[in-house]
mmCIF file of all heavy atoms in Angstrom:
data_model
loop_
_atom_site.group_PDB
_atom_site.id
_atom_site.type_symbol
_atom_site.label_atom_id
_atom_site.label_comp_id
_atom_site.label_asym_id
_atom_site.label_seq_id
_atom_site.Cartn_x
_atom_site.Cartn_y
_atom_site.Cartn_z
ATOM 1 N N ILE A 1068 1.850 1.374 0.932
ATOM 2 C CA ILE A 1068 2.764 2.486 1.033
ATOM 3 C C ILE A 1068 3.605 2.456 -0.206
ATOM 4 O O ILE A 1068 3.778 3.567 -0.784
ATOM 5 C CB ILE A 1068 3.677 2.341 2.261
ATOM 6 C CG1 ILE A 1068 2.776 2.326 3.512
ATOM 7 C CG2 ILE A 1068 4.628 3.512 2.271
ATOM 8 C CD1 ILE A 1068 2.070 3.476 3.808
ATOM 9 N N GLY A 1069 4.062 1.330 -0.777
ATOM 10 C CA GLY A 1069 4.808 1.477 -1.995
ATOM 11 C C GLY A 1069 4.006 1.939 -3.154
ATOM 12 O O GLY A 1069 4.596 2.647 -4.014
ATOM 13 N N TRP A 1070 2.766 1.641 -3.227
ATOM 14 C CA TRP A 1070 1.947 2.128 -4.366
ATOM 15 C C TRP A 1070 1.812 3.619 -4.371
ATOM 16 O O TRP A 1070 1.965 4.406 -5.307
ATOM 17 C CB TRP A 1070 0.561 1.544 -4.272
ATOM 18 C CG TRP A 1070 -0.455 2.051 -5.288
ATOM 19 C CD1 TRP A 1070 -0.467 1.786 -6.608
ATOM 20 C CD2 TRP A 1070 -1.483 3.011 -5.097
ATOM 21 N NE1 TRP A 1070 -1.503 2.406 -7.238
ATOM 22 C CE2 TRP A 1070 -2.114 3.202 -6.348
ATOM 23 C CE3 TRP A 1070 -2.008 3.757 -4.051
ATOM 24 C CZ2 TRP A 1070 -3.178 4.074 -6.512
ATOM 25 C CZ3 TRP A 1070 -3.008 4.640 -4.159
ATOM 26 C CH2 TRP A 1070 -3.576 4.760 -5.413
ATOM 27 N N LEU A 1071 1.584 4.163 -3.095
ATOM 28 C CA LEU A 1071 1.442 5.709 -2.989
ATOM 29 C C LEU A 1071 2.848 6.370 -3.275
ATOM 30 O O LEU A 1071 2.892 7.452 -3.811
ATOM 31 C CB LEU A 1071 1.131 6.013 -1.512
ATOM 32 C CG LEU A 1071 -0.412 5.798 -1.206
ATOM 33 C CD1 LEU A 1071 -0.630 5.992 0.266
ATOM 34 C CD2 LEU A 1071 -1.270 6.611 -1.995
ATOM 35 N N ILE A 1072 3.934 5.741 -2.805
ATOM 36 C CA ILE A 1072 5.266 6.201 -3.063
ATOM 37 C C ILE A 1072 5.568 6.257 -4.666
ATOM 38 O O ILE A 1072 6.145 7.142 -5.173
ATOM 39 C CB ILE A 1072 6.476 5.511 -2.311
ATOM 40 C CG1 ILE A 1072 6.222 5.774 -0.754
ATOM 41 C CG2 ILE A 1072 7.766 5.865 -2.732
ATOM 42 C CD1 ILE A 1072 7.131 4.960 0.024
ATOM 43 N N ARG A 1073 5.259 5.199 -5.262
ATOM 44 C CA ARG A 1073 5.386 5.053 -6.765
ATOM 45 C C ARG A 1073 4.649 6.162 -7.488
ATOM 46 O O ARG A 1073 5.052 6.714 -8.402
ATOM 47 C CB ARG A 1073 4.918 3.692 -7.255
ATOM 48 C CG ARG A 1073 5.886 2.581 -6.966
ATOM 49 C CD ARG A 1073 5.638 1.456 -7.827
ATOM 50 N NE ARG A 1073 4.314 0.877 -7.632
ATOM 51 C CZ ARG A 1073 3.921 0.010 -6.698
ATOM 52 N NH1 ARG A 1073 4.817 -0.365 -5.779
ATOM 53 N NH2 ARG A 1073 2.673 -0.324 -6.528
ATOM 54 N N LEU A 1074 3.471 6.522 -6.920
ATOM 55 C CA LEU A 1074 2.678 7.623 -7.493
ATOM 56 C C LEU A 1074 3.309 8.979 -7.308
ATOM 57 O O LEU A 1074 3.123 9.808 -8.163
ATOM 58 C CB LEU A 1074 1.272 7.695 -6.754
ATOM 59 C CG LEU A 1074 0.061 8.297 -7.452
ATOM 60 C CD1 LEU A 1074 -0.229 7.511 -8.779
ATOM 61 C CD2 LEU A 1074 -1.112 8.290 -6.582
ATOM 62 N N SER A 1075 4.206 9.094 -6.346
ATOM 63 C CA SER A 1075 4.876 10.309 -6.101
ATOM 64 C C SER A 1075 6.251 10.478 -6.761
ATOM 65 O O SER A 1075 7.123 11.276 -6.451
ATOM 66 C CB SER A 1075 5.037 10.654 -4.621
ATOM 67 O OG SER A 1075 5.883 9.578 -3.992
ATOM 68 N N LYS A 1076 6.495 9.523 -7.655
ATOM 69 C CA LYS A 1076 7.808 9.434 -8.369
ATOM 70 C C LYS A 1076 8.309 10.720 -8.920
ATOM 71 O O LYS A 1076 9.481 10.946 -8.880
ATOM 72 C CB LYS A 1076 7.740 8.269 -9.377
ATOM 73 C CG LYS A 1076 9.098 8.016 -10.131
ATOM 74 C CD LYS A 1076 8.955 6.872 -11.087
ATOM 75 C CE LYS A 1076 10.265 6.579 -11.846
ATOM 76 N NZ LYS A 1076 10.176 5.481 -12.814
ATOM 77 N N GLY A 1077 7.456 11.486 -9.505
ATOM 78 C CA GLY A 1077 7.886 12.721 -10.232
ATOM 79 C C GLY A 1077 8.228 13.898 -9.220
ATOM 80 O O GLY A 1077 8.672 14.935 -9.654
ATOM 81 N N TYR A 1078 7.951 13.679 -7.925
ATOM 82 C CA TYR A 1078 8.117 14.722 -6.961
ATOM 83 C C TYR A 1078 9.079 14.376 -5.876
ATOM 84 O O TYR A 1078 9.127 15.014 -4.758
ATOM 85 C CB TYR A 1078 6.836 15.060 -6.303
ATOM 86 C CG TYR A 1078 5.747 15.284 -7.340
ATOM 87 C CD1 TYR A 1078 4.754 14.378 -7.530
ATOM 88 C CD2 TYR A 1078 5.632 16.509 -8.052
ATOM 89 C CE1 TYR A 1078 3.648 14.619 -8.475
ATOM 90 C CE2 TYR A 1078 4.766 16.663 -9.064
ATOM 91 C CZ TYR A 1078 3.747 15.747 -9.166
ATOM 92 O OH TYR A 1078 2.728 16.016 -10.102
ATOM 93 N N ARG A 1079 10.135 13.490 -6.157
ATOM 94 C CA ARG A 1079 11.019 13.037 -5.180
ATOM 95 C C ARG A 1079 11.932 14.179 -4.563
ATOM 96 O O ARG A 1079 12.231 14.231 -3.494
ATOM 97 C CB ARG A 1079 11.807 11.875 -5.651
ATOM 98 C CG ARG A 1079 10.960 10.610 -5.841
ATOM 99 C CD ARG A 1079 11.811 9.461 -6.451
ATOM 100 N NE ARG A 1079 10.925 8.322 -6.638
ATOM 101 C CZ ARG A 1079 11.330 7.132 -7.201
ATOM 102 N NH1 ARG A 1079 12.558 6.917 -7.656
ATOM 103 N NH2 ARG A 1079 10.515 6.180 -7.197
ATOM 104 N N TRP A 1080 12.509 15.042 -5.519
ATOM 105 C CA TRP A 1080 13.297 16.103 -5.070
ATOM 106 C C TRP A 1080 12.516 17.098 -4.164
ATOM 107 O O TRP A 1080 13.054 17.541 -3.201
ATOM 108 C CB TRP A 1080 13.937 16.856 -6.207
ATOM 109 C CG TRP A 1080 14.958 15.961 -6.892
ATOM 110 C CD1 TRP A 1080 14.784 15.398 -8.224
ATOM 111 C CD2 TRP A 1080 16.245 15.556 -6.471
ATOM 112 N NE1 TRP A 1080 15.946 14.646 -8.447
ATOM 113 C CE2 TRP A 1080 16.879 14.664 -7.426
ATOM 114 C CE3 TRP A 1080 16.934 15.783 -5.280
ATOM 115 C CZ2 TRP A 1080 18.048 14.187 -7.215
ATOM 116 C CZ3 TRP A 1080 18.131 15.215 -5.058
ATOM 117 C CH2 TRP A 1080 18.799 14.482 -6.013
ATOM 118 N N ARG A 1081 11.237 17.334 -4.537
ATOM 119 C CA ARG A 1081 10.447 18.244 -3.684
ATOM 120 C C ARG A 1081 10.215 17.557 -2.260
ATOM 121 O O ARG A 1081 10.270 18.296 -1.244
ATOM 122 C CB ARG A 1081 9.180 18.528 -4.327
ATOM 123 C CG ARG A 1081 9.208 19.450 -5.645
ATOM 124 C CD ARG A 1081 7.942 19.600 -6.324
ATOM 125 N NE ARG A 1081 7.947 20.399 -7.428
ATOM 126 C CZ ARG A 1081 7.774 21.739 -7.449
ATOM 127 N NH1 ARG A 1081 7.345 22.333 -6.427
ATOM 128 N NH2 ARG A 1081 7.840 22.387 -8.599
ATOM 129 N N ILE A 1082 10.000 16.270 -2.344
ATOM 130 C CA ILE A 1082 9.727 15.545 -1.071
ATOM 131 C C ILE A 1082 10.935 15.571 -0.264
ATOM 132 O O ILE A 1082 10.957 15.781 1.000
ATOM 133 C CB ILE A 1082 9.330 14.095 -1.349
ATOM 134 C CG1 ILE A 1082 8.017 14.099 -1.994
ATOM 135 C CG2 ILE A 1082 9.355 13.296 -0.176
ATOM 136 C CD1 ILE A 1082 7.431 12.742 -2.417
ATOM 137 N N LEU A 1083 12.157 15.353 -0.826
ATOM 138 C CA LEU A 1083 13.365 15.401 -0.131
ATOM 139 C C LEU A 1083 13.666 16.851 0.496
ATOM 140 O O LEU A 1083 13.949 16.939 1.685
ATOM 141 C CB LEU A 1083 14.565 15.098 -1.042
ATOM 142 C CG LEU A 1083 16.010 14.998 -0.438
ATOM 143 C CD1 LEU A 1083 16.054 14.052 0.736
ATOM 144 C CD2 LEU A 1083 17.030 14.744 -1.441
ATOM 145 N N LEU A 1084 13.434 17.906 -0.216
ATOM 146 C CA LEU A 1084 13.524 19.243 0.277
ATOM 147 C C LEU A 1084 12.497 19.432 1.406
ATOM 148 O O LEU A 1084 13.024 20.050 2.512
ATOM 149 C CB LEU A 1084 13.283 20.280 -0.873
ATOM 150 C CG LEU A 1084 13.262 21.749 -0.508
ATOM 151 C CD1 LEU A 1084 14.669 22.114 0.006
ATOM 152 C CD2 LEU A 1084 12.855 22.590 -1.685
ATOM 153 N N SER A 1085 11.401 18.994 1.277
ATOM 154 C CA SER A 1085 10.357 19.107 2.403
ATOM 155 C C SER A 1085 10.872 18.356 3.603
ATOM 156 O O SER A 1085 10.691 18.977 4.752
ATOM 157 C CB SER A 1085 9.018 18.569 1.998
ATOM 158 O OG SER A 1085 8.079 18.514 2.979
ATOM 159 N N ILE A 1086 11.510 17.220 3.537
ATOM 160 C CA ILE A 1086 11.892 16.462 4.712
ATOM 161 C C ILE A 1086 13.082 17.198 5.299
ATOM 162 O O ILE A 1086 13.221 17.381 6.571
ATOM 163 C CB ILE A 1086 12.399 15.106 4.249
ATOM 164 C CG1 ILE A 1086 11.047 14.263 3.848
ATOM 165 C CG2 ILE A 1086 13.155 14.370 5.411
ATOM 166 C CD1 ILE A 1086 11.356 12.915 3.301
ATOM 167 N N ILE A 1087 13.992 17.741 4.455
ATOM 168 C CA ILE A 1087 15.174 18.487 4.999
ATOM 169 C C ILE A 1087 14.685 19.824 5.872
ATOM 170 O O ILE A 1087 15.182 19.987 6.905
ATOM 171 C CB ILE A 1087 16.131 18.928 3.783
ATOM 172 C CG1 ILE A 1087 16.732 17.622 3.259
ATOM 173 C CG2 ILE A 1087 17.134 19.793 4.310
ATOM 174 C CD1 ILE A 1087 17.594 17.941 2.009
ATOM 175 N N LEU A 1088 13.806 20.530 5.200
ATOM 176 C CA LEU A 1088 13.164 21.702 5.893
ATOM 177 C C LEU A 1088 12.436 21.201 7.139
ATOM 178 O O LEU A 1088 12.623 21.961 8.181
ATOM 179 C CB LEU A 1088 12.234 22.304 5.024
ATOM 180 C CG LEU A 1088 12.906 23.135 3.720
ATOM 181 C CD1 LEU A 1088 11.786 23.623 2.778
ATOM 182 C CD2 LEU A 1088 13.877 24.265 4.218
ATOM 183 N N GLY A 1089 11.732 20.142 7.143
ATOM 184 C CA GLY A 1089 11.050 19.643 8.423
ATOM 185 C C GLY A 1089 12.154 19.302 9.471
ATOM 186 O O GLY A 1089 11.908 19.684 10.645
ATOM 187 N N SER A 1090 13.189 18.579 9.057
ATOM 188 C CA SER A 1090 14.180 18.270 9.988
ATOM 189 C C SER A 1090 14.851 19.528 10.622
ATOM 190 O O SER A 1090 15.238 19.710 11.890
ATOM 191 C CB SER A 1090 15.273 17.468 9.389
ATOM 192 O OG SER A 1090 14.676 16.225 8.866
ATOM 193 N N LEU A 1091 15.198 20.567 9.728
ATOM 194 C CA LEU A 1091 15.768 21.828 10.224
ATOM 195 C C LEU A 1091 14.864 22.606 11.136
ATOM 196 O O LEU A 1091 15.410 23.234 12.004
ATOM 197 C CB LEU A 1091 16.183 22.705 8.950
ATOM 198 C CG LEU A 1091 17.356 22.151 8.092
ATOM 199 C CD1 LEU A 1091 17.520 22.940 6.850
ATOM 200 C CD2 LEU A 1091 18.606 22.079 8.897
ATOM 201 N N THR A 1092 13.592 22.483 10.917
ATOM 202 C CA THR A 1092 12.652 23.158 11.794
ATOM 203 C C THR A 1092 12.756 22.587 13.200
ATOM 204 O O THR A 1092 12.773 23.245 14.218
ATOM 205 C CB THR A 1092 11.197 22.954 11.256
ATOM 206 O OG1 THR A 1092 11.131 23.549 9.950
ATOM 207 C CG2 THR A 1092 10.159 23.559 12.134
ATOM 208 N N ILE A 1093 12.767 21.145 13.322
ATOM 209 C CA ILE A 1093 12.911 20.537 14.590
ATOM 210 C C ILE A 1093 14.186 20.846 15.232
ATOM 211 O O ILE A 1093 14.377 21.157 16.505
ATOM 212 C CB ILE A 1093 12.622 19.087 14.404
ATOM 213 C CG1 ILE A 1093 11.345 18.753 13.831
ATOM 214 C CG2 ILE A 1093 12.748 18.330 15.886
ATOM 215 C CD1 ILE A 1093 10.138 19.241 14.596
ATOM 216 N N PHE A 1094 15.325 20.809 14.429
ATOM 217 C CA PHE A 1094 16.651 21.160 15.035
ATOM 218 C C PHE A 1094 16.717 22.596 15.510
ATOM 219 O O PHE A 1094 17.397 22.900 16.492
ATOM 220 C CB PHE A 1094 17.759 20.861 13.930
ATOM 221 C CG PHE A 1094 18.036 19.397 13.714
ATOM 222 C CD1 PHE A 1094 18.135 18.859 12.397
ATOM 223 C CD2 PHE A 1094 18.037 18.594 14.772
ATOM 224 C CE1 PHE A 1094 18.370 17.601 12.232
ATOM 225 C CE2 PHE A 1094 18.290 17.151 14.518
ATOM 226 C CZ PHE A 1094 18.489 16.710 13.240
ATOM 227 N N SER A 1095 15.989 23.439 14.762
ATOM 228 C CA SER A 1095 15.982 24.926 15.261
ATOM 229 C C SER A 1095 15.303 24.910 16.556
ATOM 230 O O SER A 1095 15.653 25.821 17.469
ATOM 231 C CB SER A 1095 15.291 25.720 14.188
ATOM 232 O OG SER A 1095 16.037 25.886 13.017
ATOM 233 N N SER A 1096 14.186 24.182 16.763
ATOM 234 C CA SER A 1096 13.400 24.170 17.999
ATOM 235 C C SER A 1096 14.250 23.643 19.225
ATOM 236 O O SER A 1096 14.349 24.257 20.288
ATOM 237 C CB SER A 1096 12.137 23.252 17.902
ATOM 238 O OG SER A 1096 11.268 23.834 17.071
ATOM 239 N N ILE A 1097 15.067 22.535 18.759
ATOM 240 C CA ILE A 1097 15.912 22.026 19.764
ATOM 241 C C ILE A 1097 17.064 23.055 20.154
ATOM 242 O O ILE A 1097 17.476 23.095 21.336
ATOM 243 C CB ILE A 1097 16.634 20.692 19.170
ATOM 244 C CG1 ILE A 1097 15.511 19.572 19.127
ATOM 245 C CG2 ILE A 1097 17.740 20.082 20.078
ATOM 246 C CD1 ILE A 1097 15.999 18.249 18.471
ATOM 247 N N GLY A 1098 17.688 23.716 19.070
ATOM 248 C CA GLY A 1098 18.592 24.650 19.421
ATOM 249 C C GLY A 1098 18.081 25.900 20.210
ATOM 250 O O GLY A 1098 18.784 26.355 21.160
ATOM 251 N N LEU A 1099 16.842 26.252 20.030
ATOM 252 C CA LEU A 1099 16.252 27.339 20.743
ATOM 253 C C LEU A 1099 16.036 26.963 22.178
ATOM 254 O O LEU A 1099 16.378 27.781 23.099
ATOM 255 C CB LEU A 1099 14.892 27.760 20.109
ATOM 256 C CG LEU A 1099 14.057 28.816 20.804
ATOM 257 C CD1 LEU A 1099 14.745 30.047 20.760
ATOM 258 C CD2 LEU A 1099 12.647 28.914 20.125
#
Side-chain angles (χ1 to χ4, degrees):
I1068 300 297
W1070 177 77
L1071 287 173
I1072 292 176
R1073 286 195 301 272
L1074 201 64
S1075 62
K1076 185 178 179 180
Y1078 309 105
R1079 288 179 180 175
W1080 290 109
R1081 291 175 181 265
I1082 292 174
L1083 179 61
L1084 177 60
S1085 173
I1086 291 172
I1087 292 173
L1088 290 171
S1090 301
L1091 290 175
T1092 302
I1093 303 297
F1094 286 137
S1095 296
S1096 296
I1097 292 173
L1099 179 61

